[in-house]
Amino acid sequence: MSDPVLRRLPKAALGALIARLGQTHTVRGPRVRDGAIVFGEVEAAEDLPRGWTDAQGPGRYRLEREGEAVFEGYVVGPDSPKRAHFPAREVLYTAERRADGKVGFAPVEATPGRTAWLGVRACDLAAERVRGAVFEAGGEPRPAARGREDLRVAVSCTKPGELCFCASTGTGPRAGEGADLVLTEREDDFLIEAPSEAGKAVLADLPVEPAEEGAEAWLDAAMEAAEGAMGRAVEMDGLPEKLLGRLDHPRWDEVAERCLACGNCTSVCPTCFCSTTESPVAISATGIGTVEGGAVEVGAGEAAQVRLWDSCFTEEHAYMHGGTLRPTVKARYRQWLTHKVGSWVAQFGTSGCVGCGRCIAWCPVGIDLTEEIAALREGEGELALPVLREAPLEDEDLVPSVAEVVGVRRESADVVTLRVKSERLAGFGPGQFTQLSLPGVGEAPISISGEEAGAIEHTIRGVGAVTKALCALEEGDELGVRGPYGRGWPMEALEGAPVVVVAGGIGLAPLRDALRKMVGSPASYPEVHLVYGARTPDDVLYAQEMLGWLGGPHFRLHVTVDRAAPSWRGHIGVVTRLLDEESVPEGARAILCGPEIMMRFTVEALGKLGVPDERIWVTMERHMECATGTCGRCQLGPYFVCRDGPVFRFDQVRALFGQEGF
Amino acid sequence: MGAGSEGSASGAGAKVRLGVFKLASCDGCQLQLLSCEDELLALTEHVEIVSFAEATSRPDDGGPLDLTLVEGSVSTEAQREHLQEVRARSRFLVTIGACATAGGIQALRNGRDVGELLRVVYAQPAYVDTLAESTPVADHVPVDFSLRGCPIDKGQLLELIGALLAGRKPAIRDESVCMECKRSGQVCVMVAKGEACLGPVTHAGCGALCPTFGRGCYGCFGPKEGAQVAALGARFEAEGMDAETRRRRFKLFTGWAPAFREESER
């Protein structure tokens, strides 16, 4: 700590502290409301819950009268500063789509709250750092911006609660990092220290005096005693590998019997960050979303992009074209726990658990994650997956840029290629994707299928509301674009060896740009085989273009369809039937895109033909919304498909490939 | 910014033809449409009311409907026939409310001797024409979407109509009431007060109305997807509730919904 000098603040001076904080900030601190201690506005010392204690147990929280302490009688309640920095519901931008097909987007800025948080605990400070790491990695500045001018007047816990285990997670009980002032409550006074410059400035105006000799030693002893007095303990060591290696542990079935999948744990967790977005249109000028600190006015006919707290316990969280990846409670609980105390470490360099115990208290049926972890530690199996995460994204704007449709080409009955002019998308790589949006309809991740005459092409199959609306666009219309996003095809790793490209259906679209580059550079890519399966001959994409590629001696085309009229002279059946020594030459590398089931059989067939996992790349598809790794939805074990993929080398994902719920 | 509903399902200029019909119900759900006071005028720019007995005395032209809202359960043979006719002329049929979606409070009679009930309740049972069971609309005709609740939520109704006009998926989330309760910052009444609350197994949409006023949810929106009803019932009993009270908890406005029914019979 920068200033180890301890001072004494008489209890009677608490009002002076609150008044001093109130000169520059809105003071929010513990308040009794509806049977719990939550954060609320504090104007005087009398507002604080002096003489209250919280009796907490799994699924149980009761306030009782006991003692005279101001802070020490209780620990954390269901609320945390997360709500202020990462609101439960916020408008990211407003948007309009006019009758002439033009669109507009107006960002809603996050304004600093200037809140002085009185009585936050070490776990709350740790949680803010964890959230900071999450949003920083995704280049999402709003949560940090909201807290930038806040003050944090923390309390070190000398009396941890029944459900506390911050000593196990290394995040408490002593508050310091991230705090501007730290209080430790004693019977007659507080010890106070100021780790930050802002805290020192406040301290200078308070009636403090130097702490007595031995106060330092008293504090150390009190903290050590507190560490030993935690009601819960967890062995965190090795959890990422152990949990990922025990996906078939019987405990998951057992906890799934009790779990309600209601989302209370994730909602009270100070680090859970999963969110979703909605794109409502105001029918009348009544406004849509309310952001803490002011409502956003939305005019009639205008749209808004609203972000709201979601949970991995909802069905919709892992929803992909027609079904959810996690229909069972078991799969959802397993996703939550393997992420929270497991894969979080690979993603953000820290565990997602700060040991506050909120998820235990506020679970309506009292599921105790410390018990679940202990049970899961009893077992066999460990799995370590490589960390793929690269540098944080920089100021990744979630507000789309306006782009113009400069051409529309119909590829088949339900597939259209949109040609889009957009500077934002310049410099994309083959296999990357964008987020295309229409105000009031929504946003969808779409792969880039190439560039021609300065226009970036997206080949889209109209299946849902958004993709159907995109397919209906006409030349001259506008839409929103974000991107380019994700890790594309490994063009360098493919050089010099025969390349087998295996595509199923619309899966040819993300491969098209890579194919064009390879066909155009025979020196780098001496032998290219495209093995392509479509539903019917009419569904074959880019037929004319592919015929053109056949002119080069280094390109071979193998096509099969699921069904066809008798006049079809080509193959009928699955793509794997086209994989043989001829289409998969010795030393080949393979890149795959198609339905997961197709890729699974393809990988198997390639393996039999001598292509190892390390020379196969696949594109994974999961529910993506933000595309920046901050909405939490497209997780595949430790990976975010939007950031670490969508293209993965197969050996990196084999262990999770086809695994239920991942 | 400009107004308009470009890209709407109705196409440029054409209004969405709306029909509102009722079966066995109290009219409370369809009245929610009339409660949309601030939005009603704006709505009429996009919507043509073809049939809505509570709102207009203009005769129904009998033509096809783009959007049909059906309130109430099927309780008589005449209602069943009426429902078939309505379905036949409807493009997008939405059930509104607990009766239409789950059979309603009148489904309490299901599984009992309806003749005996008639004799006990009515002075002249011979005048009453009723089916043995009160059943949800989806038991009789295909349903395109359901709005839950007793009554339905005005905001959800507007969201549904707005989404249809814009040609997008309605943002009506099949999640627990807890999600809404927590987003709005309420303190859990079950954990902090020991109230028996059906929120964890109940479909969201009411804005966690009851918990906001300090009482437990009684499940009027019916079960959410994958409702873990037995696990919640077990918790109620572990907290001291007797089995009969637990059963009755799940036997209210949406008690005939399979997940709740199972728990009320367990």
Side-chain angles (χ1 to χ4, degrees):
Chain A
M1 255 163 274
S2 58
D3 181 7
V5 182
L6 277 177
R7 292 182 178 80
R8 286 184 63 242
L9 180 76
K11 283 216 168 156
L14 198 54
L17 169 63
I18 293 165
R20 173 60 183 81
L21 295 169
Q23 287 173 13
T24 51
H25 289 71
T26 303
V27 184
R28 292 179 75 80
R31 299 291 310 257
V32 172
R33 173 168 66 80
D34 298 332
I37 291 171
V38 296
F39 284 98
E41 205 165 322
V42 172
E43 290 173 348
E46 293 72 45
D47 293 339
L48 296 169
R50 182 178 212 134
W52 282 102
T53 189
D54 57 353
Q56 298 199 33
R60 197 183 151 79
Y61 179 107
R62 292 289 190 285
L63 283 184
E64 293 161 7
R65 279 282 179 193
E66 192 186 293
E68 283 296 313
V70 181
F71 298 109
E72 283 304 282
Y74 51 90
V75 285
V76 292
D79 200 13
S80 83
K82 175 172 100 168
R83 179 178 298 282
H85 298 153
F86 175 51
R89 203 178 155 79
E90 66 180 298
V91 177
L92 298 176
Y93 56 85
T94 60
E96 64 162 347
R97 188 172 172 210
R98 297 198 308 263
D100 61 3
K102 304 297 179 198
V103 300
F105 301 93
V108 174
E109 302 293 340
T111 47
R114 288 191 75 76
T115 299
W117 296 97
L118 175 61
V120 286
R121 309 301 171 112
C123 56
D124 292 324
L125 297 172
E128 191 171 353
R129 289 196 295 278
V130 172
R131 294 195 305 273
V134 169
F135 291 115
E136 193 195 338
E140 161 55 335
R142 288 175 187 79
R146 288 204 182 85
R148 198 171 49 226
E149 293 176 20
D150 286 359
L151 286 175
R152 291 143 190 94
V153 183
V155 168
S156 287
C157 299
T158 56
K159 291 182 185 149
E162 180 60 28
L163 304 179
C164 291
F165 56 101
C166 64
S168 303
T169 51
T171 47
R174 186 168 192 161
E177 189 183 351
D180 296 293
L181 288 167
V182 179
L183 299 169
T184 309
E185 186 166 11
R186 300 196 291 187
E187 200 159 331
D188 302 317
D189 60 8
F190 298 100
L191 289 177
I192 185 166
E193 52 199 314
S196 81
E197 290 306 316
K200 284 189 181 70
V202 173
L203 198 63
D205 295 339
L206 297 180
V208 292
E209 51 192 66
E212 77 280 3
E213 203 162 318
E216 196 76 50
W218 177 89
L219 184 54
D220 288 345
M223 290 297 106
E224 201 183 321
E227 279 185 29
M230 301 268 155
R232 293 284 188 284
V234 190
E235 174 61 56
M236 301 292 287
D237 191 44
L239 278 181
E241 298 77 23
K242 286 184 167 55
L243 293 184
L244 219 45
R246 293 168 197 184
L247 299 178
D248 297 321
H249 198 291
R251 186 72 181 193
W252 299 116
D253 294 302
E254 202 273 323
V255 69
E257 289 284 305
R258 289 176 284 137
C259 174
L260 303 175
C262 58
N264 273 295
C265 49
T266 59
S267 298
V268 293
C269 176
T271 68
C272 270
F273 61 89
C274 280
S275 64
T276 185
T277 49
E278 294 175 353
S279 313
V281 183
I283 290 176
S284 71
T286 49
I288 293 169
T290 308
V291 183
E292 241 165 71
V296 174
E297 287 299 319
V298 182
E302 218 175 271
Q305 190 73 355
V306 183
R307 178 167 69 185
L308 58 161
W309 288 358
D310 195 19
S311 169
C312 52
F313 284 94
T314 66
E315 178 188 49
E316 207 262 342
H317 188 271
Y319 193 88
M320 288 205 314
H321 38 72
T324 175
L325 274 177
R326 289 191 278 276
T328 64
V329 176
K330 172 188 173 181
R332 296 182 204 175
Y333 188 88
R334 200 173 56 178
Q335 168 62 29
W336 176 66
L337 195 66
T338 56
H339 183 220
K340 179 63 58 186
V341 295
S343 45
W344 206 297
V345 178
Q347 293 168 353
F348 305 112
T350 165
S351 169
C353 181
V354 295
C356 69
R358 284 182 177 92
C359 61
I360 310 173
W362 299 95
C363 170
V365 293
I367 294 171
D368 181 342
L369 98 160
T370 66
E371 260 179 37
E372 301 311 313
I373 290 172
L376 288 157
R377 290 190 77 94
E378 298 293 318
E380 296 292 317
E382 295 198 7
L383 174 64
L385 291 174
V387 175
L388 301 179
R389 182 52 62 90
E390 288 171 355
L393 293 174
E394 273 177 35
D395 284 334
E396 190 46 60
D397 198 351
L398 293 175
V399 183
S401 305
V402 175
E404 192 194 344
V405 177
V406 294
V408 180
R409 190 172 58 239
R410 182 154 289 281
E411 305 283 358
S412 74
D414 57 353
V415 177
V416 154
T417 294
L418 275 191
R419 299 172 36 74
V420 167
K421 263 261 187 321
S422 165
E423 278 179 25
R424 185 159 170 179
L425 302 182
F428 73 91
Q432 283 198 296
F433 70 97
T434 60
Q435 287 281 353
L436 302 185
S437 60
L438 287 169
V441 181
E443 213 174 27
I446 305 287
S447 67
I448 299 174
S449 52
E451 184 175 10
E452 209 166 273
I456 292 165
E457 302 194 329
H458 298 81
T459 300
I460 307 167
R461 193 160 125 208
V463 284
V466 179
T467 48
K468 277 181 184 156
L470 289 170
C471 286
L473 289 176
E474 293 170 4
E475 195 175 328
D477 285 346
E478 288 178 345
L479 72 165
V481 298
R482 295 196 286 125
Y485 294 119
R487 205 185 291 253
W489 300 111
M491 299 311 293
E492 278 181 24
L494 300 177
E495 282 182 23
V499 178
V500 186
V501 180
V502 187
I506 191 79
L508 186 57
L511 287 161
R512 177 173 172 244
D513 196 44
L515 276 163
R516 284 177 156 190
K517 289 198 160 55
M518 291 190 286
V519 170
S521 320
S524 303
Y525 306 98
E527 187 177 353
V528 178
H529 293 262
L530 171 58
V531 183
Y532 177 40
R535 280 178 301 186
T536 72
D538 288 341
D539 291 308
V540 170
L541 297 177
Y542 317 128
Q544 282 306 315
E545 185 172 9
M546 288 195 290
L547 289 176
W549 296 342
L550 286 171
H554 63 298
F555 177 76
R556 299 290 304 277
L557 179 61
H558 317 259
V559 176
T560 180
V561 296
D562 292 338
R563 54 183 190 277
S567 57
W568 171 252
R569 307 278 293 277
H571 294 279
I572 292 182
V574 292
V575 283
T576 42
R577 290 171 61 178
L578 301 183
L579 298 172
D580 52 28
E581 284 80 4
E582 195 261 310
S583 62
V584 186
E586 207 178 325
R589 277 131 219 243
I591 57 176
L592 280 50
C593 185
E596 223 160 292
I597 183 84
M598 179 216 97
M599 295 200 290
R600 192 181 318 171
F601 284 106
T602 301
V603 167
E604 215 170 278
L606 289 171
K608 284 184 184 143
L609 290 162
V611 187
D613 290 356
E614 298 77 22
R615 294 215 302 264
I616 301 171
W617 286 263
V618 297
T619 44
M620 299 300 293
E621 194 183 355
R622 288 293 178 268
H623 185 142
M624 292 195 275
E625 285 199 0
C626 72
T628 60
T630 54
C631 78
R633 301 174 78 90
C634 67
Q635 290 180 68
L636 175 69
Y639 308 130
F640 285 99
V641 170
C642 70
R643 291 283 313 275
D644 307 310
V647 174
F648 293 91
R649 210 173 68 194
F650 190 68
D651 59 313
Q652 294 161 346
V653 291
R654 177 181 268 284
L656 296 172
F657 203 76
Q659 176 69 245
E660 182 215 340
F662 280 86
Chain B
M1 293 195 185
S5 65
E6 293 72 36
S8 93
S10 57
K15 287 185 177 182
V16 166
R17 284 170 54 87
L18 170 76
V20 183
F21 302 93
K22 78 168 241 127
L23 307 170
S25 59
C26 76
D27 287 30
C29 288
Q30 44 177 315
L31 285 177
Q32 288 291 74
L33 185 54
L34 296 180
S35 302
C36 301
E37 288 150 358
D38 293 337
E39 293 85 3
L40 264 184
L41 267 182
L43 264 184
T44 56
E45 286 174 28
H46 307 288
V47 172
E48 177 195 349
I49 297 173
V50 178
S51 178
F52 187 2
E54 289 276 13
T56 174
S57 51
R58 199 179 54 193
D60 182 346
D61 63 17
L65 297 165
D66 298 306
L67 172 63
T68 302
L69 305 177
V70 179
E71 175 195 276
S73 68
V74 174
S75 201
T76 69
E77 188 53 42
Q79 284 166 346
R80 180 147 60 189
E81 285 163 17
H82 179 45
L83 178 60
Q84 307 280 2
E85 290 163 18
V86 165
R87 174 71 262 190
R89 56 189 286 218
S90 302
R91 189 162 67 91
F92 196 76
L93 185 145
V94 180
T95 56
I96 56 170
C99 301
T101 309
I105 194 75
Q106 57 272 30
L108 280 175
R109 77 162 182 265
N110 296 1
R112 301 174 71 164
D113 179 350
V114 75
E116 170 70 21
L117 288 173
L118 283 176
R119 279 189 294 280
V120 173
V121 175
Y122 295 97
Q124 301 281 341
Y127 291 118
V128 181
D129 169 33
T130 182
L131 296 168
E133 291 193 329
S134 163
T135 45
V137 167
D139 282 8
H140 305 276
V141 297
V143 169
D144 299 302
F145 202 84
S146 291
L147 287 181
R148 313 286 202 91
C150 181
I152 56 166
D153 177 75
K154 191 178 105 171
Q156 288 206 328
L157 179 61
L158 284 171
E159 168 60 20
L160 176 88
I161 297 173
L164 190 77
L165 292 173
R168 68 182 159 84
K169 196 175 133 201
I172 290 172
R173 317 182 61 76
D174 191 351
E175 61 186 14
S176 69
V177 169
C178 304
M179 291 298 297
E180 293 187 304
C181 197
K182 284 287 184 293
R183 282 192 203 110
S184 67
Q186 302 306 322
V187 173
C188 178
V189 296
M190 191 161 161
V191 170
K193 290 184 181 163
E195 291 279 331
C197 180
L198 265 55
V201 296
T202 299
H203 191 291
C206 62
L209 192 58
C210 290
T212 301
F213 289 94
R215 56 168 288 178
C217 162
Y218 56 88
C220 77
F221 271 60
K224 76 173 186 81
E225 58 80 29
Q228 293 275 87
V229 185
L232 184 64
R235 178 70 177 184
F236 287 167
E237 288 200 21
E239 292 285 295
M241 186 184 278
D242 63 80
E244 190 46 34
T245 309
R246 169 182 60 73
R247 287 185 202 108
R248 296 177 74 110
R249 275 275 158 180
F250 291 93
K251 216 171 176 175
L252 271 166
F253 301 91
T254 51
W256 194 244
F260 284 0
R261 192 197 325 169
E262 209 173 289
E263 185 60 15
S264 68
E265 289 168 357
R266 189 173 64 85

